[in-house]
């Protein structure tokens, strides 16, 4: 009996840690219209972020860039260009740690330090946040709830951190798309080393072309309301 109780309690604690049943977690846009949101993590990462911006400008598409704080500090001119061209800036922590296994004070410091850097670029509106690897475990959910912040997840993984084959990236994204999808791609690399993102750039061009042909429009996260799902 005792082992059964211990097992039940342990399972409950693990569930609470990995899937906290509180806080706001957005996995897709709150719409049935044929619109999607392109989001890019781990930048800014010259020259690839600039090349990506060229592709987005060619298609007149706006996206949301979840940036790492220490890369914002290193490449302010790239951040300014992203903003100047009408894209949205999001917070992806200061140094890209796995926040879910860190104490709340450290989680909060990672978020606030990057907020401060983003504000230095003239951003006054609400700053959206996405945890590295989307790990909204208990410490992250707790801090975000305390700060009344929402976590931005996704419903379309590109898996472009595992391959830079544009055919694979494009196919992976297109087969999962539905109205309101939030797509995760990467213009940088988590470890903050230089990362060749040529495949992601080419895939972005193909994804936009294909979805436009299918009647989709592209929006920033700030352009529409969201559907919040707890514990996703």
């Amino acid at each position: 009996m005792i082992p059964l109780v211990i097992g039940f309690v342990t399972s409950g604690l693990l569930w609470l840690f990995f899937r906290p049943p509180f806080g706001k977690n957005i996995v897709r846009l709150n719409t049935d219209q044929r619109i999607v949101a392109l989001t890019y993590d781990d930048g800014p990462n010259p020259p690839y972020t600039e090349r990506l911006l060229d592709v987005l400008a060619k298609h007149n598409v706006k996206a949301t860039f979840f940036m790492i704080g220490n890369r914002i500090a290193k490449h302010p001119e790239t951040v300014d260009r992203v903003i100047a061209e009408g894209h949205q800036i999001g917070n992806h922590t200061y140094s890209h740690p796995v926040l879910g296994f860190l104490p709340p004070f450290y989680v909060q410091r990672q978020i606030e330090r990057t907020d401060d850097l983003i504000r230095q670029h003239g951003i006054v509106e609400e700053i959206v946040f996405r945890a590295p690897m989307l790990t909204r475990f208990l410490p992250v959910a707790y801090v975000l709830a305390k700060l009344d912040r929402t976590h931005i997840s996704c419903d379309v993984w590109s898996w472009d951190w595992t391959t830079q084959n544009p055919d694979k990236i494009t196919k992976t994204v297109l087969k999962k798309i539905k109205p309101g999808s939030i797509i995760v791609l990467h213009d940088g690399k988590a470890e903050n080393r230089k990362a060749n993102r040529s495949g992601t750039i080419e895939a972005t061009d193909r994804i936009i072309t294909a979805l436009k042909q299918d009647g989709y429009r592209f929006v920033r996260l700030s352009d529409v309301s969201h559907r919040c799902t707890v514990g996703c």
Side-chain angles (χ1 to χ4, degrees):
M1 181 65 178
I2 292 178
L4 182 62
V5 172
I6 293 174
F8 179 79
V9 171
T10 301
S11 296
L13 291 174
L14 288 172
W15 179 83
L16 177 64
F17 183 84
F18 288 108
R19 298 181 67 85
F22 61 87
K24 300 174 183 177
N25 186 47
I26 295 170
V27 297
R28 61 180 297 268
L29 305 175
N30 185 18
T31 181
D32 293 322
Q33 299 181 43
R34 296 176 80 79
I35 61 175
V36 295
L38 285 172
T39 68
Y40 296 88
D41 290 2
D42 297 351
N45 179 36
Y48 301 101
T49 302
E50 283 81 357
R51 288 174 53 192
L52 177 60
L53 290 171
D54 291 341
V55 169
L56 295 172
K58 180 181 78 171
H59 291 283
N60 193 27
V61 162
K62 306 303 180 187
T64 302
F65 289 79
F66 286 93
M67 295 185 174
I68 298 173
N70 57 20
R71 297 193 69 82
I72 293 174
K74 187 176 181 180
H75 303 291
E77 69 290 339
T78 303
V79 180
D80 287 338
R81 181 181 168 187
V82 171
I83 295 169
E85 296 189 7
H87 304 286
Q88 185 177 1
I89 301 293
N91 183 327
H92 200 45
T93 72
Y94 183 79
S95 60
H96 204 278
V98 183
L99 291 183
F101 297 105
L102 297 171
F105 77 88
Y106 189 87
V107 173
Q108 185 165 341
R109 177 59 178 156
Q110 283 275 325
I111 295 171
E112 292 180 341
R113 192 175 182 184
T114 303
D115 277 350
D116 290 343
L117 286 165
I118 292 173
R119 296 291 184 202
Q120 291 174 22
H121 288 266
I123 300 299
V124 296
E125 62 267 19
E126 179 185 1
I127 299 173
V128 290
F129 174 77
R130 172 179 285 158
M133 293 171 277
L134 281 70
T135 51
R136 196 186 69 93
F137 300 160
L138 185 59
V140 180
Y142 167 76
V143 170
L144 291 178
K146 184 175 71 169
L147 299 176
D148 194 26
R149 299 278 289 267
T150 299
H151 181 258
I152 304 296
S153 186
C154 73
D155 64 336
V156 178
W157 290 80
S158 66
W159 294 95
D160 65 337
W161 64 94
T162 65
T163 179
Q164 278 297 290
N165 182 320
D167 293 329
K168 290 183 178 180
I169 298 170
T170 302
K171 182 178 180 181
T172 297
V173 170
L174 293 180
K175 72 180 181 181
K176 299 176 183 177
I177 287 291
K178 58 185 177 182
S181 283
I182 297 175
I183 307 162
V184 173
L185 294 136
H186 295 77
D187 61 323
K189 188 174 183 179
E191 294 82 1
N192 296 316
R193 297 194 297 266
K194 289 183 179 179
N196 187 323
R197 290 296 183 235
S198 297
T200 294
I201 294 165
E202 175 61 29
T204 293
D205 194 15
R206 298 180 188 183
I207 290 165
I208 292 173
T209 299
L211 290 180
K212 278 192 170 184
Q213 290 174 349
D214 201 24
Y216 278 90
R217 294 183 296 111
F218 296 83
V219 297
R220 303 168 301 176
L221 294 172
S222 58
D223 292 332
V224 295
S225 61
H226 308 106
R227 179 170 299 163
C228 299
T229 305
V230 175
C232 290

